[in-house]
Amino acid sequence: MTISAADETYYDLGSYHRPIETPSQQAQSWFDRGMVWSYAFNHEEAIRCFERALELDADLAIARWGVAYAIGPNYNKGWDAFDPVDAAASLARARMELGLAEHGRASAVERGLIDALQARFPTDDPGDAEALSAGGAAYADAMAALAQAYPDDVDVQALAADALVNVTAWALWDTRTGEPAPGSQVLAAKRILDDALATDVGRSHPGILHLYIHTMEMSAAPQDALPAADLLRDLVPDAGHLQHMPSHIDVLCGNYRDSVVSNQSAIVVDHRFVDREGPLNFYSLYRAHNLHFVVYSAMFEGNSRAAFAAADELAAQLSPELLAIESPPMADWLEAFVPLRTHVLIRFGRWDDLIAQPLPDDRDLYCSTVATIHYGRGVAHAAGGHLDQARAEREAFEVARARIPDSRYLFNNTVADILAIAAEMLDGEIAYRAGEYDDAFAHLRRAIELDDALPYDEPWGWMQPTRHAYGALLLEQGRVEEAAAVYAADLGLDPTLPRPCQHPNNVWSLHGYHECLQRLGRSAEAAIVAQQLTLAAARADVPITASCACRLEVHDACCD
């Protein structure tokens, strides 16, 4: 069959190939593409590729398996994230495809994959959460057995690891102890992935590398995944999510510049995808994620230009047309990204710009945005000593916060949990500028407790570490020993914090800690930190004078 122009101009997905039982070279090509997109978590595009393979070879059972696999739950979209319409349609389609696959052409291992996947969809009732949860566990067991039967099949190994981590997605490790979380099968997944990474084929497999990052990121040793992250960079040039994935490890290891660059590369790729497929699809969540990551990482390195550019692009792409889509519920998943610019303005102390931020016209659709803008205005007024205005914004914030539905999320965290931190931060800032220091520090400590207790997410649910404000204001009050302990914990220089709550090498805490060491007369330690601070501050495009702009009195330091 002649290759069409559309085939020739398709995305560059690297060199992945899995031979399958088909006489059609084009069907083989579209199947390979579907597998890559599945490993890259662009499941809608994967389904299109598997459907194209079926158009070319209607008896290709493994392509029907592909549709069922891609349309079902995944690491970023468990059954509880499906709205009722989506759940019913996806469950029915998966069961239908697997039923048809029973009569198609398949090799022995392909038949094993089909049989195993059937365990994932044990009921036709999308409301039977207990059965669907049990199906996920049964599927993991079936894939673990298949992995033992086919130890040299890298795709079977990748899919088995995927099934195992999905049993407790985003809850693989107890971050406080470093041990597996209750019910987690992460150790079994890690063994499979470690064995695969000991082979050349495993070290060049997008699924193995992607899953290893997720397996290790919330562990006590995320740095162990740095080699896998490096292998994944540019492995699949036109898969934006895979271009982005190394940054999950970068930010945990203090490689903020690498994180910015990886996500900027992903954003360029995402533009190509939008040009071809349009913006009104589930992949918009992943595009938002990449821009979110640039904002988060750039803030840590003091790169205001990159942070503002990404925040503005993100807000622009989250149009009312996109957010108005009800199935899937795009506003619940995406609207909370819109006000990221507020956090950037706070990070860089742009008080006048914060106060000037206009509220959106549609305050129901953009309800999280409204509350966040009031929070930002309140912080700005407090920093300026305008306490009446700050308190008025605090009241408006509470009114707006009460109108946000419980269904609204920023990835793994509810907006309600995130804005509970904002409430304590704002109360702390107002009390501090009112001279009520004990009350202020009590609020800031409560904000820290709430921040630390957020469910694991990457980026973290709260955009600017709460310890940065607390440490800065402690220093302003001359409480240097206390501030030093705050900064050491934030930098991960002691075991105070779980590993995912640490922010190694961030320029803000380096500045604060260096100042503390100087003022405490700990000169030898200060000299060591000074070198780290000098290197970190070299990439900042603003002067680094304090760990938080809310500190108005500053102390001369090496990198002011």
Side-chain angles (χ1 to χ4, degrees):
M1 183 178 293
T2 303
I3 298 176
S4 69
D7 288 359
E8 290 180 337
T9 59
Y10 197 69
Y11 306 100
D12 181 355
L13 299 182
S15 60
Y16 172 88
H17 174 61
R18 177 182 179 83
I20 54 172
E21 294 290 317
T22 181
S24 169
Q25 182 179 354
Q26 282 194 306
Q28 172 72 70
S29 177
W30 283 106
F31 175 82
D32 288 342
R33 291 165 175 171
M35 290 297 290
V36 175
W37 285 124
S38 294
Y39 291 134
F41 286 8
N42 188 334
H43 298 95
E44 288 173 307
E45 187 64 18
I47 291 168
R48 283 191 286 269
C49 292
F50 291 131
E51 289 174 337
R52 183 75 179 106
L54 284 167
E55 290 174 6
L56 296 160
D57 182 354
D59 291 329
L60 188 58
I62 194 63
R64 296 197 182 279
W65 165 91
V67 173
Y69 172 78
I71 208 168
N74 59 69
Y75 196 72
N76 287 330
K77 187 185 177 187
W79 280 122
D80 59 345
F82 284 68
D83 67 88
V85 173
D86 189 12
S90 298
L91 185 58
R93 177 77 186 277
R95 287 170 62 87
M96 180 194 74
E97 294 292 351
L98 290 171
L100 293 172
E102 291 183 4
H103 308 291
R105 183 178 62 255
S107 67
V109 66
E110 291 168 3
R111 187 62 60 196
L113 288 168
I114 293 165
D115 291 344
L117 190 59
Q118 288 177 331
R120 194 179 218 179
F121 307 101
T123 176
D124 59 4
D125 179 5
D128 191 344
E130 184 176 347
L132 293 174
S133 177
Y139 171 58
D141 290 342
M143 283 306 306
L146 197 67
Q148 288 186 329
Y150 294 92
D152 298 325
D153 190 318
V154 68
D155 286 300
V156 171
Q157 304 305 305
L159 293 164
D162 175 67
L164 289 163
V165 298
N166 269 288
V167 173
T168 56
W170 291 103
L172 303 180
W173 302 91
D174 182 333
T175 56
R176 296 165 299 176
T177 66
E179 297 299 318
S184 171
Q185 299 194 47
V186 68
L187 293 182
K190 186 177 183 299
R191 283 193 293 271
I192 290 172
L193 294 168
D194 283 334
D195 288 345
L197 288 169
T199 68
D200 289 339
V201 67
R203 286 191 294 271
S204 62
H205 191 278
I208 294 291
L209 298 170
H210 184 179
L211 289 163
Y212 196 71
I213 289 171
H214 279 309
T215 296
M216 297 305 298
E217 64 180 314
M218 64 185 298
S219 75
Q223 66 275 3
D224 290 353
L226 279 169
D230 289 339
L231 289 168
L232 188 57
R233 301 180 202 274
D234 296 320
L235 180 66
V236 186
D238 283 350
H241 188 61
L242 295 184
Q243 289 278 14
H244 141 86
M245 272 306 300
S247 61
H248 279 239
I249 301 300
D250 291 333
V251 293
L252 290 164
C253 296
N255 300 337
Y256 304 113
R257 184 59 187 167
D258 287 347
S259 180
V260 170
V261 171
S262 288
N263 283 284
Q264 288 175 334
S265 297
I267 291 162
V268 171
V269 171
D270 288 342
H271 289 162
R272 295 178 204 153
F273 186 78
V274 172
D275 288 344
R276 186 174 180 126
E277 304 296 341
L280 304 182
N281 45 58
F282 187 83
Y283 191 72
S284 291
L285 185 68
Y286 289 93
R287 294 193 293 116
H289 185 49
N290 298 341
L291 287 159
H292 184 197
F293 239 101
V294 172
V295 175
Y296 185 73
S297 305
M299 286 167 61
F300 269 119
E301 67 168 358
N303 185 344
S304 66
R305 283 188 289 270
F308 279 116
D312 290 344
E313 181 176 346
L314 181 51
Q317 79 179 26
L318 299 178
S319 65
E321 182 183 13
L322 175 62
L323 297 182
I325 295 173
E326 295 184 357
S327 182
M330 290 298 192
D332 281 346
W333 292 344
L334 291 171
E335 183 266 330
F337 289 106
V338 174
L340 288 188
R341 181 179 177 84
T342 297
H343 294 284
V344 183
L345 291 169
I346 292 172
R347 170 84 278 178
F348 294 103
R350 302 273 286 271
W351 309 131
D352 291 342
D353 291 336
L354 278 162
I355 293 167
Q357 278 196 113
L359 295 174
D361 293 332
D362 189 338
R363 299 184 189 182
D364 291 322
L365 184 64
Y366 291 92
C367 55
S368 304
T369 303
V370 172
T372 305
I373 289 174
H374 283 305
Y375 159 71
R377 288 177 178 175
V379 170
H381 280 304
H386 310 133
L387 297 184
D388 288 343
Q389 293 95 320
R391 292 186 181 106
E393 291 293 346
R394 178 65 173 87
E395 292 177 7
F397 165 80
E398 280 299 339
V399 171
R401 183 162 68 129
R403 298 178 64 244
I404 299 171
D406 293 339
S407 57
R408 200 138 297 193
Y409 274 75
L410 186 68
F411 276 109
N412 291 335
N413 287 279
T414 66
V415 172
D417 285 346
I418 292 170
L419 291 184
I421 300 170
E424 296 292 344
M425 290 292 294
L426 183 50
D427 284 342
E429 296 283 0
I430 292 171
Y432 184 87
R433 291 304 160 196
E436 300 164 359
Y437 300 124
D438 288 344
D439 190 34
F441 288 133
H443 282 297
L444 294 176
R445 285 192 295 271
R446 178 58 180 155
I448 289 169
E449 291 172 4
L450 293 172
D451 188 11
D452 290 348
L454 288 176
Y456 177 82
D457 211 348
E458 205 63 82
W460 204 250
W462 185 248
M463 290 295 289
Q464 177 175 330
T466 43
R467 284 177 175 80
H468 289 188
Y470 185 48
L473 296 180
L474 285 172
L475 271 179
E476 193 168 78
Q477 291 301 307
R479 295 165 63 167
V480 183
E481 287 276 8
E482 292 174 75
V486 169
Y487 292 127
D490 186 63
L491 290 164
L493 301 179
D494 62 35
T496 300
L497 297 181
R499 183 62 181 82
C501 295
Q502 300 170 10
H503 307 109
N505 301 327
N506 81 86
V507 69
W508 309 98
S509 279
L510 284 172
H511 184 283
Y513 193 50
H514 178 254
E515 179 182 335
C516 290
L517 295 174
Q518 285 184 311
R519 292 172 66 172
L520 292 169
R522 294 160 59 179
S523 301
E525 295 168 86
I528 295 170
V529 174
Q531 183 183 42
Q532 299 173 43
L533 174 57
T534 299
L535 294 174
R539 280 207 168 103
D541 62 6
V542 297
I544 306 299
T545 59
S547 64
C548 181
C550 62
R551 178 185 175 189
L552 304 182
E553 171 271 321
V554 298
H555 183 274
D556 288 339
C558 78
C559 297
D560 288 0

